[in-house]
Amino acid sequence: MKTRVAYSKLQQRVWRWHFYAGLMVIPFALILALSGSLYLFKPQISAFYDEQINKTIPTGQVAKNAQPLNADRLLDITLQRYPNAQLKKYFPTDADDPSVEMEIKTNTGHKMLWVNKYNGELIAEKNVADLPLNIVKNIHGELLAGNKGSYLVEFMACWMIVLLISGLCLWWPNKTLLPNFTSNNKREVWRSLHTSLGIWFSLLILVFLLTGLPWTQVWGEGFKRLQNLIQLKNPGQEWNVTLTSSPSEHVHDDGLDLWTTQNKAENVTLISQHNAQQQNAVSLQRILQKPTVQKMHMPIEVYPPKMENGVWTVRSMTQYRPDRVTVHFDKWSGEEIMRITFADYNALKQVVALGISLHEGALFGWLNQLLGVLVTLAIILLSVSGFIIWWKRKPQGKLAAPKKPAATPITFAMTVAITVLAVFLPLVGLSIIAVFIFELSWYLISKLKVKRKKHKRLYG
């Protein structure tokens, strides 16, 4: 009998959590859905933004059949305008674009520049952080609050997953598939709409949420550690470039291998074995003319060598991950010294990369974008309808969850599902533990107060 009572209390607690978690998540779900729907159209928005900037070039300034200036000449002209500035990235553009883009680091921060490729004149200058898509990205990933914001986004995304699973468990006894718009009870209409949306879109929303987890702080870092634990190798050197270029030909006097490797998955360093007189470094223009670079999918980012013996790094940043390529070129000879493609990833990371492409709306073209829009609309409608259901059923004058209907039991499967999620999603597990501690503390404090009042009443 005691076990049945305890389990009944657990059911009521889980029921309350579904409502409380929903109220907590709704504002963030709306923000993530709206910002995510915009970011789905990153290629189109970027193209439109660049087109508007290029329209500011005076008519007739670009002569017919004019030849663009050498990339190094464009860079020299540009850097002369910004004393002590450094090139961070160079963005090649299509042949019919009248401008090129550069990101530079100045004393006042990072700036994005649009430069007329035919005469070197500055077309536009924007702070990198103020670019529209960067603002949308920072809202979606960090709520404009840096690392603290990214933890909060991960926390809310994880609880969105809990809401989906618990919502499916709550739906199971009724098995309603279609909304009831004919009811005279407005609350019933909203409830049926909420339920139906959850049934038809839960799986898709769950997929979009899971494919966003690799970007997160806690879960993402745990995923990396898991790969290392099960010894899944990755090519490394895609983002954190520690390669160095030899200022002379790659000849070894001591018999050492060209590649000195401490950890093949993370750190590969090309060691210079000679201190010969420095040669002239390879120019930006020569790197851009490499056949490998010419064949890369746009957009392309070119990173200049860092420090004395750094390397040229060229990276295709297409959102369709299987087409991405990263190539490192020797600073002095221009030789290709490392190439990283989709095929170099382990199988698990390939699946994750495909998931990221799906998340960004780039896995199967405009249909993927349409699917993403439908998912974000479903999240918005679920959030709005969920709030309305709570508002119409909440106890009068209280910020509380409605009582659990007898016709909607919370099954043992739901409890198991949330337990599994608490293990799979660490932030959920930690928050559940925190809630249990809070509720237990509140219960003990309340019980102690009752005892004190009773003792005072009996004994004065």
Side-chain angles (χ1 to χ4, degrees):
M1 183 68 178
K2 289 183 178 181
T3 302
R4 183 177 299 177
V5 172
Y7 185 65
S8 177
K9 289 182 177 179
L10 177 62
Q11 289 179 323
Q12 182 63 41
R13 179 179 290 112
V14 174
W15 171 262
R16 290 202 313 270
W17 284 359
H18 183 80
F19 281 91
Y20 289 140
L23 291 176
M24 173 185 67
V25 165
I26 282 173
F28 300 93
L30 292 173
I31 292 172
L32 294 179
L34 290 171
S35 59
S37 62
L38 286 174
Y39 205 75
L40 285 168
F41 297 93
K42 177 183 177 181
Q44 291 88 341
I45 294 174
S46 293
F48 177 79
Y49 191 74
D50 291 340
E51 182 182 354
Q52 298 307 304
I53 288 178
N54 288 329
K55 282 182 178 180
T56 62
I57 299 177
T59 305
Q61 192 176 93
V62 179
K64 190 174 182 180
N65 300 323
Q67 293 298 315
L69 295 178
N70 181 287
D72 297 288
R73 177 60 180 155
L74 286 172
L75 181 59
D76 289 340
I77 294 174
T78 301
L79 293 181
Q80 286 175 10
R81 299 189 182 99
Y82 301 89
N84 302 320
Q86 296 178 340
L87 176 69
K88 301 302 293 183
K89 301 178 192 176
Y90 186 93
F91 303 85
T93 54
D94 293 327
D96 56 350
D97 286 337
S99 67
V100 295
E101 298 172 32
M102 307 179 195
E103 180 183 331
I104 63 172
K105 181 181 180 182
T106 68
N107 295 331
T108 59
H110 289 243
K111 296 182 180 296
M112 184 69 76
L113 309 177
W114 285 260
V115 178
N116 188 323
K117 66 168 62 173
Y118 297 96
N119 58 21
E121 290 189 1
L122 183 65
I123 302 171
E125 171 190 315
K126 304 286 184 182
N127 290 325
V128 171
D130 295 335
L131 294 174
L133 278 172
N134 282 348
I135 294 175
V136 172
K137 181 180 179 181
N138 288 334
I139 291 174
H140 191 72
E142 302 176 350
L143 301 175
L144 299 179
N147 284 336
K148 292 181 181 178
S150 66
Y151 284 112
L152 184 57
V153 167
E154 179 179 0
F155 180 77
M156 294 302 169
C158 289
W159 270 101
M160 284 176 68
I161 294 175
V162 174
L163 284 171
L164 290 172
I165 301 300
S166 60
L168 288 174
C169 292
L170 292 172
W171 162 82
W172 182 253
N174 300 317
K175 299 181 178 63
T176 303
L177 294 175
L178 297 175
N180 179 15
F181 294 118
T182 61
S183 174
N184 293 325
N185 187 330
K186 291 184 178 180
R187 185 190 63 79
E188 177 60 27
V189 173
W190 282 107
R191 189 193 69 80
S192 66
L193 175 63
H194 184 82
T195 301
S196 300
L197 284 170
I199 294 308
W200 291 106
F201 284 93
S202 281
L203 181 59
L204 285 174
I205 296 173
L206 184 62
V207 169
F208 272 77
L209 288 171
L210 291 175
T211 52
L213 288 179
W215 280 309
T216 58
Q217 298 279 356
V218 177
W219 197 94
E221 184 62 30
F223 178 70
K224 291 178 184 177
R225 292 184 179 182
L226 174 64
Q227 292 182 80
N228 292 335
L229 182 65
I230 60 180
Q231 298 183 342
L232 288 177
K233 297 294 181 64
N234 284 310
Q237 296 308 318
E238 186 178 10
W239 296 104
N240 298 317
V241 179
T242 59
L243 296 175
T244 57
S245 300
S246 169
S248 61
E249 294 186 5
H250 305 305
V251 180
H252 297 271
D253 293 333
D254 53 8
L256 292 176
D257 291 335
L258 181 64
W259 298 98
T260 299
T261 304
Q262 295 177 345
N263 183 335
K264 290 183 179 180
E266 300 294 338
N267 184 26
V268 182
T269 305
L270 179 59
I271 303 295
S272 171
Q273 300 295 328
H274 290 273
N275 293 318
Q277 186 176 1
Q278 180 173 307
Q279 304 171 12
N280 291 328
V282 173
S283 68
L284 171 61
Q285 182 66 29
R286 184 175 167 188
I287 293 297
L288 294 176
Q289 291 174 338
K290 292 282 184 181
T292 301
V293 176
Q294 297 282 325
K295 294 177 182 178
M296 283 186 179
H297 293 270
M298 301 288 276
I300 297 172
E301 297 179 351
V302 181
Y303 295 77
K306 295 180 180 179
M307 299 180 292
E308 183 63 27
N309 286 331
V311 298
W312 283 102
T313 298
V314 185
R315 179 175 295 123
S316 168
M317 290 298 292
T318 174
Q319 288 183 289
Y320 182 63
R321 291 309 199 275
D323 284 342
R324 283 195 174 184
V325 179
T326 299
V327 181
H328 301 299
F329 296 97
D330 188 282
K331 174 181 178 179
W332 307 104
S333 68
E335 294 177 359
E336 180 181 315
I337 55 178
M338 178 177 272
R339 179 192 299 234
I340 302 169
T341 67
F342 183 78
D344 295 318
Y345 297 156
N346 63 63
L348 182 58
K349 192 170 181 179
Q350 286 183 347
V351 172
V352 170
L354 292 174
I356 292 174
S357 288
L358 173 70
H359 191 92
E360 292 184 332
L363 190 59
F364 41 89
W366 67 268
L367 284 174
N368 195 163
Q369 292 178 316
L370 176 61
L371 181 65
V373 169
L374 292 175
V375 167
T376 56
L377 284 175
I379 292 174
I380 292 171
L381 287 174
L382 281 169
S383 300
V384 172
S385 58
F387 178 81
I388 292 175
I389 294 169
W390 167 78
W391 184 261
K392 289 182 175 294
R393 289 190 57 198
K394 76 179 185 69
Q396 190 68 28
K398 294 183 179 179
L399 184 68
K403 292 184 179 180
K404 178 175 68 68
T408 310
I410 296 178
T411 64
F412 177 73
M414 180 177 179
T415 307
V416 172
I418 291 180
T419 303
V420 172
L421 287 173
V423 175
F424 179 70
L425 304 171
L427 291 184
V428 170
L430 291 174
S431 59
I432 288 177
I433 292 173
V435 170
F436 267 123
I437 293 174
F438 174 79
E439 287 192 346
L440 179 61
S441 300
W442 186 265
Y443 170 76
L444 293 176
I445 292 172
S446 300
K447 194 172 182 180
L448 182 61
K449 286 182 178 180
V450 171
K451 284 185 177 181
R452 285 181 176 177
K453 288 182 179 179
K454 184 177 180 180
H455 184 273
K456 187 175 182 180
R457 187 171 60 252
L458 293 175
Y459 303 102

